[in-house]
């Protein structure tokens, strides 16, 4: 498996004042609800502001330190990482999973050169930062072959899931490893380039952390976090990478990947504000 890289940078405003709580073991937990807007080029070449709302968990002493500094509307910078977790639903017995953000460092910001017009108020009366920062960079390996399809407009979209390994040492001094499973979606030329990626292929992905939503048959509103890939690099096997499979050798695939543009499909973007889970 490729040596994992897992990095998230967010700059946004808090939608509410966070409340500090403690786990059964006494660990302090502070959950931040951040809001921002990304400037993204649509399929028609026009720039659009796409809203995002993300939850960030901060743990330990930093959580206790930040509690009194944060309020609704406070702009913050988050240096964090993706955190995949899974569990068994106590009621249904089904396996559930979620992809969250764990905050490693949080800094309170001033609006500075952004001025007084830096935020807008959404449909719920929450402040959302304009032209925010929402950037994810990761390195890992595909857990199965990429899935390429075309939507009714004719645009290509490719979906793949990347396993990102994380090595760490626990409090007892034992070396351990976590694996985070991250869904990635890419569009158009980049989708065509990534469509031939196979299980085990090591890749580097840079993109946006976004949320899909859908309604199940019983009327339940569901949410799923993933990465909207805007840049993908195919890694090779060799010293330092640990990749289990080389990238596709077809020169056409490599050329399309290099020429790919970051245009996204606006119609399949973030759900309306009234559908948000917070």
């Amino acid at each position: 498996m490729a040596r994992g890289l897992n990095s998230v940078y967010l700059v946004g405003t808090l939608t509410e004042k966070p409340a500090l709580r403690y786990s059964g073991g006494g660990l302090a937990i502070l959950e931040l609800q951040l809001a921002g807007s990304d400037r993204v080029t649509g399929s028609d070449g026009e720039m659009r502001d796409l809203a995002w709302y993300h939850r960030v968990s901060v743990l330990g002493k930093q959580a206790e330190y930040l509690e009194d500094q944060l309020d609704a509307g406070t702009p913050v910078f988050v240096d964090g990482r993706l955190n995949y977790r899974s569990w068994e639903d106590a009621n249904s017995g089904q396996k559930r999973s979620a992809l969250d953000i764990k905050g490693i460092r949080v800094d309170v910001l001033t609006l500075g050169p952004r001025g007084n017009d830096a935020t807008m108020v959404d449909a719920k009366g929450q402040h959302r930062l304009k032209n925010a920062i929402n950037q994810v960079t990761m390195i890992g390996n595909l857990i199965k072959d990429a899935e390429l399809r075309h939507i009714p407009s004719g645009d290509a979209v490719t979906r793949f899931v990347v396993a990102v390994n994380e090595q760490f040492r626990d409090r007892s001094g034992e070396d351990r490893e976590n694996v985070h499973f991250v869904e990635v979606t890419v569009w158009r030329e980049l989708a065509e380039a990534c469509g031939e990626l196979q299980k085990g292929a090591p890749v580097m992905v840079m993109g946006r952390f976004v949320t899909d939503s859908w309604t199940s048959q019983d009327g339940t509103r569901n949410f799923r976090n993933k990465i909207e890939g805007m840049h993908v690099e195919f890694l090779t096997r060799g010293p330092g990478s640990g990749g289990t499979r080389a990238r596709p050798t077809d020169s056409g695939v490599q050329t399309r990947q290099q020429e790919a543009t970051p245009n996204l499909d606006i119609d399949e973007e973030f759900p309306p504000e009234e559908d948000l889970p917070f």
Side-chain angles (χ1 to χ4, degrees), residues 38-166:
D38 295 336
R39 296 282 289 167
V40 176
T41 304
S43 58
D44 57 2
E46 297 293 325
M47 294 292 293
R48 289 175 172 81
D49 292 315
L50 299 183
W52 54 260
Y53 295 80
H54 298 321
R55 180 180 290 109
V56 177
S57 296
V58 184
L59 310 178
K61 293 183 178 179
Q62 183 176 204
E64 296 176 322
Y65 172 77
L66 286 169
E67 181 189 18
D68 294 332
Q69 299 187 46
L70 304 178
D71 205 344
T74 301
V76 296
F77 162 73
V78 174
D79 176 4
R81 62 173 179 259
L82 301 173
N83 182 53
Y84 173 87
R85 53 192 177 88
S86 62
W87 68 95
E88 185 175 289
D89 189 286
N91 297 321
S92 65
Q94 294 182 339
K95 186 176 180 180
R96 305 289 186 183
S97 64
L99 183 67
D100 304 316
I101 298 174
K102 181 178 180 181
I104 307 302
R105 170 177 175 170
V106 177
D107 289 313
V108 178
L109 306 177
T110 65
L111 294 178
R114 293 173 180 267
N116 296 327
D117 192 36
T119 64
M120 57 87 64
V121 178
D122 66 16
K124 291 188 175 182
Q126 303 170 139
H127 286 273
R128 187 172 70 222
L129 186 67
K130 299 177 182 177
N131 195 22
I133 294 176
N134 175 12
Q135 178 179 315
V136 177
T137 303
M138 64 180 187
I139 291 177
N141 298 76
L142 272 68
I143 66 171
K144 61 180 181 178
D145 294 352
E147 302 170 1
L148 171 65
R149 64 182 178 89
H150 292 81
I151 61 175
S153 66
D155 290 329
V157 56
T158 292
R159 173 189 177 275
F160 53 93
V161 178
V162 177
V164 181
N165 69 319
E166 174 189 18

Side-chain angles (χ1 to χ4, degrees), residues 1-5 139-141 165 167 202 235-244:
M1 176 177 285
R3 186 168 57 188
L5 175 64
I139 291 177
N141 298 76
N165 69 319
Q167 298 177 342
L235 305 184
T236 59
R237 300 176 62 180
S241 71
T244 58

